[in-house]
Amino acid sequence: MSEVYEGLKNVVEQVKETCAKVGRDPDEVCLVAVSKTKPADMIREAYAAGVRDFGENKVQELCDKMERLPQDIRWHMIGHLQRNKVKFIVGKVALIHSVDSMRLAAEISRLAVLNNVEQDILIEVNVGGEATKFGLSTEETIQFVKEAAKLPNIHIKGLMTSAPYVEDSKENLPIFHKMKELAVDISKENIDNVSMNILSMGMSQDFVAAIQEGSTMIRVGSKIFGQRYYFNQGEQM
Ligand SMILES: *Cc1c(COP(=O)(O)O)cnc(C)c1O
């Protein structure tokens, strides 16, 4: 068995175990395999094992892989997105997780209209309030969603967050909890063109904690594909 297959199997088992523990249906939790920096061959292995959702954080890399890999893959843009790169992915990716400014939302909308496509998006929230992270504060999110919901050809499907790096993933439980509460609060507003079905939270280190608190989409990289190697080690953007 390949390493990718092993990793994937372990993650899927952990998802099932966690769901059983907290009384959730594992089908409610979508696994996005984060393939950034990893070669197409490894993606094909995960694809052969049944994975159809893949996440990338760089537009260029995402587009290269999109061209070379099967057409039925649902690509997720999970990294910080610059407005001048929206044109390369709008209408082509299943979901943009990282919408964190009105200017970006407006640009996605403008290009979606221009190309006559619809684009699903998530709003990125910096629940932990870390200075180094992208995302809106929890306080400003509801107002932002109300405004962005008015833009044509984009559809807000939920929220995304990246929790802080911690030794013990239990430390992130309050963050995931706060995120779920925020989504519930927004749902109660019944805003047109907004659903809060997707809570994109939980990575290799803390997807178990995230599922316990209601995550419906986990973004798992290294636990499936192995460690990533960067020239510049440290926080990856
Ligand atoms: C890299 C990345 C992940 C996956 O990280 P792992 O720790 O390898 O699971 C998830 N979300 C975002 C936004 C990322 O950039």
Side-chain angles (χ1 to χ4, degrees):
M1 250 188 305
S2 78
E3 258 173 67
V4 170
Y5 190 84
E6 275 291 327
L8 191 59
K9 206 174 114 209
N10 286 333
V11 169
V12 169
E13 264 164 28
Q14 264 185 293
V15 170
K16 282 187 185 152
E17 265 171 38
T18 309
C19 284
K21 243 187 234 164
V22 297
R24 294 190 57 196
D25 177 354
D27 289 342
E28 278 174 21
V29 183
C30 173
L31 170 62
V32 176
V34 177
S35 47
K36 63 191 187 198
T37 79
K38 298 296 181 185
D41 279 346
M42 286 180 112
I43 299 178
R44 282 194 196 94
E45 282 180 45
Y47 181 91
V51 179
R52 291 295 176 271
D53 292 90
F54 290 90
E56 291 284 338
N57 69 339
K58 296 214 160 63
V59 167
Q60 176 78 55
E61 187 176 345
L62 192 158
C63 292
D64 289 347
K65 286 173 174 171
M66 195 169 352
E67 241 173 61
R68 301 171 55 195
L69 288 154
Q71 290 302 305
D72 62 340
I73 287 179
R74 290 181 293 271
W75 293 99
H76 295 251
M77 177 58 193
I78 62 172
H80 188 63
L81 179 57
Q82 288 170 321
R83 278 176 298 137
N84 62 357
K85 303 228 169 118
V86 172
K87 58 177 178 281
F88 299 115
I89 62 168
V90 71
K92 294 182 183 160
V93 294
L95 191 60
I96 299 174
H97 291 229
S98 44
V99 177
D100 63 350
S101 76
M102 201 55 73
R103 291 172 79 196
L104 177 60
E107 182 63 358
I108 297 170
S109 169
R110 186 183 74 83
L111 289 171
V113 170
L114 198 68
N115 292 295
N116 198 22
V117 292
E118 307 286 325
Q119 181 66 61
D120 288 347
I121 63 169
L122 302 179
I123 307 305
E124 181 169 1
V125 189
N126 184 359
V127 186
E130 288 175 282
T132 55
K133 288 235 164 84
F134 293 106
L136 302 168
S137 72
T138 43
E139 292 73 24
E140 63 191 336
T141 301
I142 292 192
Q143 195 50 42
F144 181 92
V145 169
K146 283 181 183 167
E147 288 299 313
K150 296 176 193 158
L151 295 165
N153 294 44
I154 62 172
H155 308 287
I156 300 172
K157 296 292 177 185
L159 307 176
M160 179 270 222
T161 198
S162 293
Y165 177 78
V166 287
E167 285 298 320
D168 180 352
S169 67
K170 284 196 198 75
E171 289 172 49
N172 280 336
L173 284 167
I175 293 207
F176 297 137
H177 190 77
K178 209 171 154 189
M179 173 93 149
K180 170 75 187 182
E181 280 183 337
L182 180 60
V184 169
D185 286 347
I186 295 172
S187 293
K188 283 185 190 149
E189 303 269 333
N190 281 319
I191 308 162
D192 270 356
N193 189 27
V194 173
S195 87
M196 283 289 131
N197 293 339
I198 302 182
L199 276 189
S200 169
M201 57 185 193
M203 328 203 316
S204 290
Q205 62 156 355
D206 55 16
F207 69 86
V208 168
I211 292 170
Q212 285 171 353
E213 294 295 340
S215 171
T216 65
M217 189 171 271
I218 56 175
R219 311 179 307 269
V220 181
S222 46
K223 277 246 166 109
I224 297 171
F225 298 108
Q227 277 293 117
R228 289 177 297 273
Y229 301 97
Y230 292 93
F231 174 67
N232 187 359
Q233 285 290 333
E235 186 63 32
Q236 322 102 31
M237 286 298 156

